[in-house]
Amino acid sequence: MIVGTEWLIEAKGCNRDALRDEDKIKSILSRVIDDLGLRVVGEVWHKFGGEGGVTGLIALTESHLACHTYPEHGVATFNLYCCRSRPEWDWEHYLTDLLGASNVLVTRVQRGESEFQITNLRSEISDLKFEIAGGER
Amino acid sequence: MIVGTEWLIEAKGCNRDALRDEDKIKSILSRVIDDLGLRVVGEVWHKFGGEGGVTGLIALTESHLACHTYPEHGVATFNLYCCRSRPEWDWEHYLTDLLGASNVLVTRVQRGESEFQITNLRSEISDLKFEIAGGER
């Protein structure tokens, strides 16, 4: 039973100041929400002190959207979990444009299954699927 | 650059009433937090109406912990994302005990890498690692 789709996004080589800019990170997540027609039911934001990064968690009627930034490494990661079908958002385009990312990896995972299905959206290994040995009790 | 480890947990065959019980779901996440010595910086909870499930998102200084339940399918999913090393939590044992799960799949993902590394914790295919073709720009 697939209960949702989760996208895991790794953005590397980002502008470090951008990763410390809570307003910028909020604006990116807002754009995802607007573009995909998601509905917010609550959110938590945390800016780590000094040169630290930003954490944002947004609860959606469709599940959740999360971001953590690591300015010290030039890395941001995102999770978008949707329990209903949504189009692909162009993470690579927007994170390159808005965070200066030099490399964006987007991986899609189906949730709720006892076999683990992942798809890398820029990979030639598309729709890789393997059954987990021992996954059933 | 690995910036964190994320565990994706799929629990199937759960007791449907338990999946609608916000206090029970909160107590499970609290136990994870206590057992692993995690520190909460904020949280959002949402109980869907009627026979609906529960969403919980907890922001941690170590990243986040999330849960979504689907009583109609007997499924709960969890995400635990930690940006510092933490021991394994025995999801299978506790979710079998506390939610009556008949099947628990735990998958560990390294975040922040341009190659995607996953490990299924009950699999004979351990430490599966593959490089994503086309992952570098």
Side-chain angles (χ1 to χ4, degrees):
Chain A
M1 171 53 62
I2 295 173
V3 295
T5 299
E6 187 162 6
W7 288 265
L8 306 179
I9 298 97
E10 333 294 317
K12 299 173 71 175
C14 300
N15 179 293
R16 293 175 183 219
D17 289 334
L19 297 182
R20 296 184 184 102
D21 183 342
E22 186 170 347
D23 288 340
K24 181 178 279 284
I25 302 299
K26 283 182 173 174
S27 74
I28 294 172
L29 298 200
S30 291
R31 181 151 192 174
V32 175
I33 288 164
D34 290 345
D35 286 354
L36 298 181
L38 304 171
R39 288 160 296 176
V40 175
V41 296
E43 56 194 288
V44 179
W45 288 90
H46 183 72
K47 170 71 178 74
F48 290 88
E51 300 290 290
V54 176
T55 283
L57 301 181
I58 302 180
L60 307 167
T61 59
E62 298 81 8
S63 294
H64 73 257
L65 178 58
C67 176
H68 302 284
T69 73
Y70 307 86
E72 68 277 27
H73 302 304
V75 170
T77 71
F78 299 82
N79 290 53
L80 172 61
Y81 183 153
C82 287
C83 61
R84 65 190 180 94
S85 177
R86 294 286 80 199
E88 298 293 331
W89 198 68
D90 192 345
W91 293 95
E92 185 177 356
H93 170 75
Y94 287 115
L95 298 183
T96 302
D97 186 36
L98 299 170
L99 295 179
S102 61
N103 183 287
V104 179
L105 177 69
V106 181
T107 306
R108 192 172 54 206
V109 178
Q110 302 297 1
R111 300 301 308 266
E113 287 282 274
S114 53
E115 61 184 17
F116 195 72
Q117 293 181 45
I118 64 172
T119 304
N120 181 265
L121 301 187
R122 297 183 62 226
S123 174
E124 292 170 12
I125 310 168
S126 63
D127 291 310
L128 179 71
K129 176 175 171 177
F130 60 92
E131 188 139 357
I132 302 298
E136 292 288 338
R137 290 159 61 86
Chain B
M1 171 53 61
I2 295 173
V3 295
T5 299
E6 186 162 5
W7 288 264
L8 307 179
I9 299 96
E10 332 294 316
K12 299 173 70 177
C14 300
N15 179 292
R16 294 177 182 218
D17 288 334
L19 298 182
R20 295 184 184 105
D21 182 343
E22 187 170 347
D23 288 339
K24 182 178 279 283
I25 302 300
K26 283 182 173 173
S27 74
I28 293 172
L29 298 200
S30 291
R31 181 152 191 172
V32 175
I33 288 165
D34 291 345
D35 287 354
L36 298 181
L38 304 171
R39 288 159 296 176
V40 176
V41 295
E43 55 194 288
V44 179
W45 288 89
H46 183 72
K47 170 70 178 74
F48 290 87
E51 299 290 289
V54 176
T55 283
L57 301 181
I58 302 180
L60 307 167
T61 59
E62 297 82 7
S63 294
H64 74 256
L65 178 57
C67 176
H68 301 284
T69 73
Y70 306 86
E72 67 277 28
H73 302 304
V75 171
T77 71
F78 299 81
N79 290 52
L80 171 61
Y81 183 151
C82 286
C83 61
R84 64 189 180 95
S85 176
R86 294 285 80 199
E88 298 293 332
W89 199 68
D90 193 345
W91 293 94
E92 183 177 357
H93 170 75
Y94 288 115
L95 298 182
T96 302
D97 186 36
L98 299 169
L99 295 179
S102 60
N103 184 286
V104 179
L105 177 69
V106 181
T107 306
R108 193 171 54 207
V109 178
Q110 302 297 359
R111 300 302 307 266
E113 288 283 274
S114 53
E115 60 184 18
F116 195 71
Q117 292 181 43
I118 64 171
T119 304
N120 181 264
L121 301 187
R122 297 183 63 226
S123 174
E124 292 170 12
I125 311 167
S126 63
D127 292 309
L128 179 70
K129 176 175 171 176
F130 59 92
E131 189 139 356
I132 302 299
E136 292 290 336
R137 291 159 60 87

